Amino acid sequence: MTSLRIIWLALFLVLIPRHAIASEGQNLAREANDIMQNRCMVCHGCYDAPCQLKLEADEGLRRGASKELVYDGARLTPSNMTRLFDDALSEAQWRDKGFYPVLDKEDPKSGTLYRMLQLKQAHPLATEGPIPDGFDFSLYRDQQCVKPGEFDAYASKFPLWGMPYGFPGLNPEEHEVMTSWLEQGAHRVAKPLLSNNLREQIAAWETFLNASDNKSRLMARYVYEHLFLASLYLVDDEEITWFRLVRSTTPPGRNLGLIATRRPYDSPGVGTFYYRLQRMEVTPLDKIHMPYRFDSERLDWYRSLFIDPDYAVTALPDYTPEVAANPFRSFQAIPVNSRYRFLLEEAQFTIMNFIKGPVCRGQIALNVIEDHFWVMFASPESDDPDSDEAFLAAETDNLRLPIVRTGTPIDLFYWRRYAKSHAAFQQAKADYLVKEMDRSDRTMNMDSIWLGDGKNPNAALTIFRHFDTASVVKGFVGGEPKTAWVIGYSLLERIHYLLVAGFDVYGPVSHQLESRLYMDFLRMEGEFNFLMFMPPAVRQELRDYWYRDARPSAAKHMFTSSDAMTRDNDIVYKTDDPKQEFLFAMQDRIHGASAANYDYRLGVSEDSVKAFAAMEQQIGAHNSYLPQVSFVNVVGEDSDEVFTLLRNSGYSNIAQLFKEEDRRLPDEDSVTVVKGFLGAYPNYFFQVNSSEVGAFVKQVGTLGSDSDYVALTKRYGVPRNAAWFWRISDKFHQRYKEQQPIESGLFDYNRYSGR
């Protein structure tokens, strides 16, 4: 008995230290992970992370870095795909793809990450005065991408280029945590086990999405092709766990056999496959974070939307490009109303897929839209060709979208075919509208706009373009926009398949040009849908204003010469400004359109309201000196407010691909002020005492040169090298998370000004 007691005591003494050590190691790993997110991931999160070192998950750190660029405007053929979690699943596979380690398992102090941190400590940035010469903060700067054997030469040539690059270094406590963690092997943070509740939710979803009947299989394919980028979240006891929807060679209950294809509608390459929920242990980055709720209520709604209606699916569509890239052909069996309702229910998410998504540098894709405009949707109950089952079935071939055929510039020769097909569809749509307008019982009025069913805040959206990025939010935000869109089912579907499901970040320049050119058509269609709610006498006038100085070929559209442009609607206007009257009427009628959560006039100090109201009214070239997106912290003795300033750049037209600067009209630049945060890429932070907010706005109104802007930043700005930069960054991230706990993500500082 005594011997057994001695053995148990020995085991007890041995095991306790191990548990303690493990616990201490996990605490260190969690602290290091928090530092990595808030100091490193803010520049290393999106697809254009420097040297492809993506740090939103531990897998990115283990993968390492690469000298190959994701964004290359001169690429003539598709490039090597390097999607984290998709295109390689082990360190060895990433090494085969040209990635090199930033950690050194044998000698942690020799690892690139360790040495980058040490270099910053040895050569810190001065916290006063301008950033030293030699730093390049442009998006297309030359990247060094230093391999371990190249570090000594790098440190000698660029001693100030330690990490975080161009920002203050870690404080002593943070540096100690990071170096200790790296020296001890950079252990992963243990992944908590899924609860029984979550496992049951996952099982319910995977059972539902993998039912064997044709109707269920077609529904699951439709859902997957629209949610493949979604940050799906399941909730258990108020805790959120993130997932994504993937295709797998293995059925539910077995380890995932991931199927990774270039596009979601590409053939899975196997006869039998399954839709699965893959757990994603990632830190949300605001630019690519698109939350979408998955719960029992959503599942029941899918069933009522896709399974309960009486229709038959006699055969499943194949995966040939001509079929798979055309949702009007592949999903023709699903009722149009079901498809449209699916897209409308989370319309912000639907639009967000092309506004956010993996396109981290989108000038070519985004210079097709204005800097600020409102979006509405055609009512599912209205007489609309976009939702007419028979009309869309007849026009299926004309609704085809550009597909990659050879992956080379030769594909551009197919462009004329797509243009002709689109013109044929537009002619058919115009004829349809004229015919409908000739009916005595046909009405087109304010009820033709979806009002959100009295409860859905997705019915009114605002889109802001920030040069080569963009944002979309619920509600009508800001003053009266220059343009507005009305989107029906077919237009919404085509936008998704053109710029989301069919868009390839790694594709050749020909693919990106085709997408941009085709989006011109879709923008014009959305604008025309809006013009149809205007009196006939002002339609052409408005359109001419939107397309000032555009080449005739760029501004030409089927509807400009259609009889539909001259047909009246059933709206009685009471003012001589029908555009403003209609938009503001919709702002009152559509559920959630008031966007109270962004209204800076609510819940803030009177001084801030007065000052920012004056700023919004001051349209002119002085605004052109402001960054695209600025966060302003107004601090008083008893107040601490955060606002976003969004510069809306004026253009004579956006109908041309190149020479954007030639069409700039700085005198038409305006600023939209919102309460809280809007924009994934802040260009600058300002801190203003509440007693000086009026003076700040007044100084903005006098900007007339770069030196004037420098004077503004010296008085109110937070430069990259400010000693308190990380303190205000942490404050903003915490505040954003408090305001929007599900939607928020880390901001990306790759566009933060170096001035």
Side-chain angles (χ1 to χ4, degrees):
M1 192 70 169
T2 303
S3 298
L4 287 173
R5 287 179 178 175
I6 292 173
I7 292 171
W8 278 111
L9 180 61
L11 287 170
F12 182 79
L13 293 174
V14 169
L15 290 173
I16 285 298
R18 287 180 179 175
H19 285 304
I21 290 171
S23 177
E24 183 180 342
Q26 277 298 292
N27 288 336
L28 181 63
R30 280 189 285 268
E31 289 182 46
N33 188 59
D34 185 64
I35 294 168
M36 187 101 69
Q37 291 170 8
N38 290 284
R39 301 293 180 267
C40 307
M41 185 184 154
V42 287
C43 286
H44 288 271
C46 202
Y47 275 52
D48 66 344
C51 305
Q52 293 198 59
L53 179 60
K54 285 167 58 65
L55 299 175
E56 77 267 41
D58 187 81
E59 286 81 356
L61 178 63
R62 311 292 162 178
R63 176 178 80 163
S66 170
K67 292 180 180 288
E68 187 174 343
L69 297 174
V70 172
Y71 294 93
D72 181 359
R75 186 162 56 220
L76 298 181
T77 58
S79 73
N80 179 32
M81 297 184 72
T82 55
R83 297 167 299 180
L84 189 62
F85 305 112
D86 285 319
D87 298 314
L89 302 177
S90 68
E91 290 184 43
Q93 290 175 346
W94 285 119
R95 300 295 168 260
D96 290 341
K97 280 183 170 286
F99 281 75
Y100 58 87
V102 296
L103 304 175
D104 191 318
K105 298 177 182 178
E106 302 298 325
D107 181 9
K109 293 184 179 181
S110 296
T112 301
L113 177 57
Y114 189 100
R115 298 194 68 185
M116 281 290 189
L117 294 173
Q118 292 286 51
L119 182 64
K120 189 69 169 204
Q121 296 295 307
H123 301 279
L125 279 181
T127 56
E128 294 183 1
I131 300 288
D133 293 337
F135 280 95
D136 184 359
F137 300 118
S138 63
L139 280 180
Y140 294 95
R141 63 181 179 268
D142 291 334
Q143 298 185 15
Q144 299 304 312
C145 303
V146 185
K147 290 185 175 181
E150 303 167 345
F151 194 85
D152 288 339
Y154 171 87
S156 175
K157 187 175 182 180
F158 307 112
L160 293 176
W161 287 18
M163 295 297 154
Y165 175 81
F167 286 112
L170 307 183
N171 65 37
E173 293 78 13
E174 293 169 337
H175 185 72
E176 175 63 25
V177 168
M178 285 297 296
T179 53
S180 296
W181 176 66
L182 291 169
E183 288 168 6
Q184 293 179 26
H187 297 296
R188 301 170 185 257
V189 175
K191 182 188 300 184
L193 296 176
L194 293 175
S195 67
N196 289 334
N197 186 340
L198 283 177
R199 291 179 183 276
E200 290 173 1
Q201 291 185 54
I202 293 169
W205 272 107
E206 292 187 343
T207 299
F208 176 68
L209 292 170
N210 290 292
S212 60
D213 62 284
N214 279 358
K215 184 184 287 189
S216 295
R217 291 173 68 187
L218 188 61
M219 177 262 320
R221 176 171 168 177
Y222 186 80
V223 169
Y224 168 70
E225 291 184 13
H226 289 81
L227 298 187
F228 72 101
L229 290 179
S231 304
L232 304 176
Y233 65 93
L234 275 61
V235 181
D236 177 36
D237 195 23
E238 298 185 359
E239 288 293 321
I240 289 176
T241 304
W242 299 102
F243 297 84
R244 67 170 178 165
L245 186 59
V246 299
R247 296 186 291 187
S248 170
T249 58
T250 53
R254 292 178 54 187
N255 290 337
L256 194 71
L258 183 70
I259 297 173
T261 56
R262 190 172 282 267
R263 300 172 187 82
Y265 56 70
D266 287 344
S267 171
V270 293
T272 302
F273 65 92
Y274 306 88
Y275 296 101
R276 303 283 302 277
L277 295 186
Q278 181 184 23
R279 187 177 181 181
M280 300 298 288
E281 289 295 312
V282 298
T283 300
L285 181 75
D286 196 55
K287 171 61 178 74
I288 54 178
H289 182 52
M290 295 181 288
Y292 188 99
R293 175 178 51 84
F294 248 31
D295 58 13
S296 58
E297 182 181 350
R298 180 82 73 186
L299 191 153
D300 290 341
W301 183 67
Y302 280 5
R303 182 177 286 111
S304 68
L305 197 65
F306 294 110
I307 306 302
D308 293 346
D310 184 16
Y311 66 96
V313 180
T314 56
L316 293 172
D318 60 41
Y319 283 97
T320 57
E322 291 76 14
V323 173
N326 186 341
F328 306 99
R329 174 174 289 181
S330 55
F331 300 111
Q332 190 174 48
I334 300 176
V336 167
N337 186 65
S338 296
R339 286 179 267 164
Y340 191 27
R341 279 291 183 179
F342 173 85
L343 299 176
L344 282 183
E345 181 71 11
E346 299 288 351
Q348 183 202 22
F349 168 82
T350 304
I351 297 292
M352 192 183 290
N353 275 262
F354 94 88
I355 292 295
K356 283 192 171 186
V359 185
C360 305
R361 302 184 186 182
Q363 183 189 2
I364 290 180
L366 291 172
N367 71 4
V368 72
I369 60 175
E370 295 281 358
D371 270 32
H372 173 221
F373 60 100
W374 292 352
V375 174
M376 293 157 281
F377 300 92
S379 170
E381 281 75 42
S382 65
D383 295 322
D384 180 12
D386 268 358
S387 302
D388 187 303
E389 202 106 32
F391 175 75
L392 292 180
E395 293 298 317
T396 296
D397 289 341
N398 287 330
L399 286 165
R400 60 180 177 165
L401 297 163
I403 60 174
V404 175
R405 296 175 180 273
T406 67
T408 70
I410 293 174
D411 287 352
L412 288 173
F413 289 106
Y414 292 92
W415 170 248
R416 186 174 293 276
R417 298 184 187 180
Y418 300 123
K420 285 183 176 179
S421 293
H422 185 267
F425 169 72
Q426 296 294 2
Q427 182 63 62
K429 182 177 177 179
D431 294 343
Y432 179 105
L433 288 172
V434 170
K435 183 178 179 181
E436 287 295 303
M437 289 175 178
D438 285 339
R439 286 170 40 191
S440 59
D441 61 338
R442 207 281 185 185
T443 61
M444 183 176 183
N445 52 40
M446 290 187 177
D447 290 333
S448 301
I449 298 293
W450 183 50
L451 303 180
D453 303 320
K455 60 182 179 180
N456 194 326
N458 285 275
L461 303 177
T462 300
I463 294 177
F464 291 97
R465 178 198 170 203
H466 323 298
F467 184 61
D468 61 357
T469 69
S471 305
V472 55
V473 295
K474 295 174 185 175
F476 289 158
V477 178
E480 179 190 352
K482 177 181 174 182
T483 63
W485 295 8
V486 173
I487 297 178
Y489 164 68
S490 79
L491 179 54
L492 194 56
E493 195 77 274
R494 279 174 285 151
I495 289 174
H496 178 80
Y497 274 83
L498 177 73
L499 297 180
V500 185
F503 192 81
D504 182 7
V505 172
Y506 298 89
V509 65
S510 58
H511 162 67
Q512 305 200 22
L513 285 174
E514 277 192 325
S515 299
R516 165 59 174 82
L517 292 169
Y518 199 93
M519 186 58 198
D520 264 326
F521 296 152
L522 303 188
R523 182 199 66 247
M524 291 181 186
E525 190 174 336
E527 292 170 343
F528 170 79
N529 291 343
F530 170 73
L531 287 175
M532 292 305 295
F533 288 89
M534 297 291 99
V538 304
R539 289 172 187 162
Q540 193 64 46
E541 176 185 342
L542 277 172
R543 195 174 186 284
D544 289 345
Y545 179 71
W546 297 343
Y547 289 84
R548 287 169 289 170
D549 302 325
R551 299 192 311 270
S553 59
K556 185 178 180 181
H557 192 269
M558 178 63 64
F559 288 116
T560 57
S561 56
S562 166
D563 284 347
M565 282 286 282
T566 65
R567 299 302 179 96
D568 206 350
N569 53 47
D570 295 320
I571 302 175
V572 178
Y573 287 98
K574 300 176 182 178
T575 71
D576 58 1
D577 191 344
K579 171 171 163 276
Q580 182 185 80
E581 184 179 343
F582 180 82
L583 290 174
F584 289 172
M586 286 295 107
Q587 192 168 29
D588 290 336
R589 288 166 58 88
I590 298 177
H591 179 79
S594 61
N597 55 320
Y598 289 107
D599 193 339
Y600 67 88
R601 298 166 298 183
L602 303 177
V604 302
S605 64
E606 291 184 10
D607 288 342
S608 293
V609 172
K610 181 179 179 181
F612 289 128
M615 173 177 276
E616 285 197 316
Q617 292 170 5
Q618 295 173 0
I619 298 173
H622 63 278
N623 292 318
S624 66
Y625 293 95
L626 289 174
Q628 295 281 345
V629 180
S630 308
F631 294 163
V632 181
N633 188 198
V634 178
V635 183
E637 289 186 8
D638 301 314
S639 62
D640 191 333
E641 304 164 346
V642 179
F643 304 89
T644 300
L645 309 184
L646 302 166
R647 191 191 87 203
N648 308 313
S649 300
Y651 296 92
S652 59
N653 70 81
I654 52 166
Q656 297 163 241
L657 180 59
F658 302 111
K659 297 183 178 181
E660 187 170 348
E661 278 302 311
D662 292 347
R663 291 174 279 118
R664 278 283 282 119
L665 299 174
D667 287 340
E668 296 182 9
D669 284 10
S670 65
V671 172
T672 296
V673 183
V674 303
K675 181 174 62 177
F677 303 95
L678 202 164
Y681 290 94
N683 302 117
Y684 207 68
F685 299 157
F686 292 99
Q687 277 193 307
V688 183
N689 189 283
S690 58
S691 64
E692 293 188 89
V693 66
F696 169 73
V697 169
K698 184 176 181 180
Q699 190 167 346
V700 169
T702 63
L703 295 177
S705 65
D706 287 338
S707 60
D708 289 343
Y709 177 73
V710 171
L712 180 77
T713 61
K714 284 184 176 179
R715 184 173 179 182
Y716 301 108
V718 182
R720 294 179 69 107
N721 59 335
W724 67 97
F725 180 87
W726 292 120
R727 187 164 66 249
I728 192 171
S729 172
D730 290 343
K731 175 183 180 179
F732 284 166
H733 279 128
Q734 182 60 32
R735 186 75 61 85
Y736 189 26
K737 190 172 184 178
E738 291 170 356
Q739 293 175 355
Q740 301 187 49
I742 295 175
E743 294 82 2
S744 63
L746 292 174
F747 301 118
D748 192 310
Y749 294 154
N750 274 298
R751 289 164 174 77
Y752 200 88
S753 175
R755 292 199 294 176

